[in-house]
Amino acid sequence: MGKAAIIGAGVSGLSMANYLEKNNIDYHLYERRTPNDLKGHGFILPKEGIEFLSEIINIDDLYAKGSFLKKYIHYNQSGDIISEKELDNVFVVSRSALIEILAKGVPADKISYNSTVALNGFNNGKAEITLDGNQALDADIVIASDGSRSRLRRTIFQDETMKAVLENEVVNIIENEALASEIESNFLKFHHEDGGLTFGVLKLSSSKILWYCQFDITKYFINEDYTPDCIRQFMLDTFGDWNPLISSIIEGSSYDNAHIWRVYELEKLNPFHHQNIVFIGDAAHPLIPFTSQGVTSALKDSFTLTNLLTKQNDLEETFRQYEEERRPEIDIHIANGRALLEQFLLPLHEQPKNTLPISYK
């Protein structure tokens, strides 16, 4: 095959670049943001995700930046334990750390930041794409990894329906050694007795804690201006009377890099490819956060697509096999995510016990 253009340098795009680099396939990566545009949120990596990452990075670099989680402990908002479950090699890492690790494997001359691409149509089976409004981007294959709201996907599949999920999130990281010392390396999740409101705590290191809240958007409202003071006030108003650990985390956090996650999903998945464009990660299949499978799925997409590209088969057949291999597992995660969302919305006493907040196929 000829040259690949990868659009989007998030986890899926950087993973794809690393796999192509390892297999000596020519590519260039384009990202519309700056390299330091890294908001403070993180990822949960099940065992399978770690295994796929180990194919393309020095895994010790990952282990130095995050933490293995021993147990999942489910509480009510006061801190009474509802259930506990052992975890099998589940890892937590900040997004910025994972992006930095993956970026190490991409030579500087193969990635362009502050680069905006636009799809203008197709000619003889090839996408006509302009870079920064005027320069033609010539590529034999275009790998779209530009996120759940993919501009390339929406340009091609103009009749798709993206619908708001009834859950949004605030995600943040606090650096506080005293607070971190109080927490073991477990996945802690506090759930309001009426349902539709949770607070999660994950220890990243001896001094850093990743925390997030999930809230039912029909019951709770956060002001659209997203200022740090606005986010802080929402957290204090909503969680101020919960378990003391939560109030300490909320009060001690800076909100300058807090991430507001407005969650959307495709009503129906599109094909994973069109002409010489193929979609990976959230651009192909947005997964709601309850699955905790976004990173692992992106890694498996990149691994599968690269292996098929190395076989030098017809491009249409390569893309067909890629979708055939990946679609069934994605369908399972989507179904599991929707089931976990329904459970989240239920009052606590109606929720099934011993359910992990992770989708397994």
Side-chain angles (χ1 to χ4, degrees):
M1 62 165 285
K3 188 168 186 175
I6 305 171
I7 313 301
V11 170
S12 57
L14 286 167
S15 298
M16 190 73 218
N18 274 270
Y19 276 113
L20 295 182
E21 183 73 26
K22 182 179 179 181
N23 286 274
N24 298 311
I25 295 175
D26 194 17
Y27 70 92
H28 195 90
L29 181 56
Y30 301 91
E31 169 57 48
R32 66 186 178 89
R33 304 177 197 269
T34 62
N36 59 352
D37 186 4
L38 301 171
K39 291 291 185 183
H41 66 294
F43 303 115
I44 292 173
L45 284 168
K47 180 180 180 181
E48 193 176 27
I50 299 170
E51 291 170 351
F52 278 93
L53 266 177
S54 67
E55 295 279 332
I56 52 175
I57 67 168
N58 180 344
I59 204 64
D60 289 333
D61 289 344
L62 179 73
Y63 294 161
K65 295 291 186 178
S67 175
F68 279 101
L69 303 171
K70 301 171 187 174
K71 286 191 217 175
Y72 169 64
I73 308 178
H74 190 194
Y75 301 87
N76 64 18
Q77 72 244 41
S78 300
D80 302 319
I81 294 178
I82 298 166
S83 64
E84 295 185 37
K85 200 161 187 177
E86 298 290 329
L87 295 174
D88 179 21
N89 287 322
V90 175
F91 194 81
V92 60
V93 64
S94 71
R95 180 181 185 275
S96 59
L98 184 55
I99 291 289
E100 287 169 6
I101 291 167
L102 287 168
K104 287 181 183 178
V106 181
D109 62 348
K110 292 188 178 182
I111 182 167
S112 299
Y113 291 100
N114 296 307
S115 297
T116 302
V117 301
L119 174 62
N120 305 305
F122 292 86
N123 185 18
N124 293 323
K126 289 184 69 173
E128 293 187 325
I129 292 178
T130 51
L131 183 64
D132 299 326
N134 50 30
Q135 180 184 344
L137 193 159
D138 185 29
D140 298 287
I141 172 175
V142 178
I143 302 171
S145 58
D146 52 339
S148 61
R149 307 279 287 177
S150 169
R151 297 179 182 186
L152 291 176
R153 189 192 69 229
R154 286 183 288 156
T155 301
I156 295 168
F157 304 109
Q158 295 185 12
D159 60 346
E160 73 172 29
T161 301
M162 285 288 281
K163 63 179 184 179
V165 174
L166 293 179
E167 175 261 351
N168 283 179
E169 299 195 3
V170 177
V171 193
N172 204 1
I173 291 174
I174 178 174
E175 187 157 5
N176 186 310
E177 193 166 350
L179 271 177
S181 68
E182 298 177 21
I183 304 170
E184 292 188 39
S185 293
N186 294 321
F187 183 172
L188 313 180
K189 195 165 187 179
F190 299 78
H191 207 130
H192 194 280
E193 61 186 2
D194 294 333
L197 188 65
T198 65
F199 193 94
V201 181
L202 305 101
K203 185 174 180 176
L204 285 170
S205 69
S206 61
S207 62
K208 288 185 179 180
I209 297 169
L210 169 68
W211 64 261
Y212 67 94
C213 78
Q214 299 167 315
F215 56 95
D216 179 347
I217 61 174
T218 67
K219 295 180 179 179
Y220 304 94
F221 176 77
I222 186 167
N223 195 302
E224 290 282 352
D225 64 12
Y226 296 171
T227 65
D229 287 343
C230 162
I231 301 169
R232 177 184 174 84
Q233 194 59 53
F234 171 81
M235 296 304 301
L236 290 169
D237 292 344
T238 310
F239 296 95
D241 61 351
W242 283 38
N243 181 269
L245 171 64
I246 296 172
S247 57
S248 296
I249 290 172
I250 291 170
E251 291 169 6
S253 293
S254 165
Y255 290 82
D256 290 341
N257 290 312
H259 177 66
I260 309 297
W261 193 348
R262 301 289 188 187
V263 184
Y264 292 85
E265 68 172 349
L266 281 170
E267 194 168 87
K268 179 184 177 183
L269 289 184
N270 301 301
F272 288 5
H273 56 93
H274 183 81
Q275 304 280 10
N276 71 326
I277 297 181
V278 61
F279 300 90
I280 63 172
D282 285 344
H285 45 73
L287 296 175
I288 63 176
F290 289 100
T291 65
S292 298
Q293 285 286 354
V295 172
T296 299
S297 295
L299 287 164
K300 294 181 78 172
D301 288 352
S302 301
F303 173 82
T304 302
L305 181 57
T306 301
N307 278 351
L308 290 168
L309 289 171
T310 60
K311 294 178 181 178
Q312 301 286 338
N313 290 332
D314 173 77
L315 201 58
E316 183 177 347
E317 175 63 15
T318 295
F319 289 171
R320 186 196 65 77
Q321 288 182 31
Y322 161 69
E323 180 166 352
E324 186 178 84
E325 287 189 32
R326 295 295 301 133
R327 180 67 180 263
E329 182 179 313
I330 296 303
D331 287 340
I332 291 171
H333 289 320
I334 289 172
N336 288 347
R338 289 171 178 167
L340 289 167
L341 171 63
E342 290 301 316
Q343 292 175 22
F344 158 79
L345 296 171
L346 291 172
L348 197 52
H349 71 276
E350 294 182 24
Q351 295 181 19
K353 301 293 187 291
N354 297 314
T355 299
L356 282 176
I358 300 172
S359 168
Y360 288 103
K361 60 184 179 182

